[in-house]
Amino acid sequence: MIAFSDFNFKLLVIEKLMYWDEVLTPQFSLGEHMREQSGITDLYQYAVDNDLAYKVLPEARAYFEGLDIPDELLLTVDELTIDGGHQVYQECAPVWDGEDDLFDVRSLADLALVPNLQRIVGADEALLAVPDKLDVLAARGVTAH
């Protein structure tokens, strides 16, 4: 299994492959997963009751961290978009409102895992924690918009 060093970068790749391109299947649904595993039907209430509001639920983190993304799919990633409205974020943190840095990418070390990446849309805002982000991207031939 290919290991990502930045969970949030992996989520961007999952968003592209699972929810946009629909080639990484099956699509994960936290609601279905929680109903099947523990009978929980109200994710909002579950998150609030367990002090998990505005946090990645452990069940979603475990699923996505353990998710193997085949090399052949990683090779198809030529563009990533950073946007607070991503489906993968809602599957991770159903109470999250996009108003904090919960899903900000903190490292670009995983760029090597997507060698055909050419462009990242929304990089200016969400990569604030990455030092010299534009230089790092440029050195790999990736444009930031």
Side-chain angles (χ1 to χ4, degrees):
M1 174 165 43
I2 294 173
F4 282 77
S5 61
D6 188 295
F7 179 67
N8 291 336
F9 190 89
K10 184 176 185 180
L11 291 179
L12 290 176
V13 173
I14 291 169
E15 176 70 21
K16 168 82 166 126
L17 296 171
M18 184 177 286
Y19 299 105
W20 288 28
D21 296 349
E22 299 180 344
V23 294
L24 182 60
T25 57
Q27 285 189 354
F28 179 74
S29 165
L30 182 61
E32 288 177 20
H33 178 78
M34 296 298 282
R35 274 190 297 281
E36 291 171 4
Q37 298 298 311
S38 53
I40 293 168
T41 58
D42 187 340
L43 291 177
Y44 181 88
Q45 197 60 52
Y46 172 77
V48 170
D49 289 349
N50 291 283
D51 194 32
L52 296 170
Y54 308 101
K55 298 177 184 173
V56 175
L57 272 62
E59 297 85 355
R61 180 175 294 279
Y63 179 85
F64 287 124
E65 282 182 346
L67 181 65
D68 187 31
I69 304 174
D71 287 340
E72 60 270 14
L73 291 183
L74 291 171
L75 290 173
T76 68
V77 176
D78 60 356
E79 180 175 304
L80 294 173
T81 299
I82 301 172
D83 184 291
H86 283 329
Q87 182 67 34
V88 73
Y89 298 158
Q90 291 307 304
E91 301 303 340
C92 284
V95 179
W96 188 65
D97 60 7
E99 297 298 321
D100 62 24
D101 65 353
L102 180 64
F103 293 109
D104 283 2
V105 172
R106 306 225 189 299
S107 167
L108 293 174
D110 295 324
L111 285 173
L113 301 176
V114 286
N116 295 318
L117 184 67
Q118 298 172 7
R119 179 172 129 145
I120 298 180
V121 177
D124 292 342
E125 296 286 325
L127 297 179
L128 290 175
V130 178
D132 303 319
K133 63 185 174 276
L134 297 179
D135 293 335
V136 171
L137 292 172
R140 296 211 35 102
V142 178
T143 60
H145 299 275

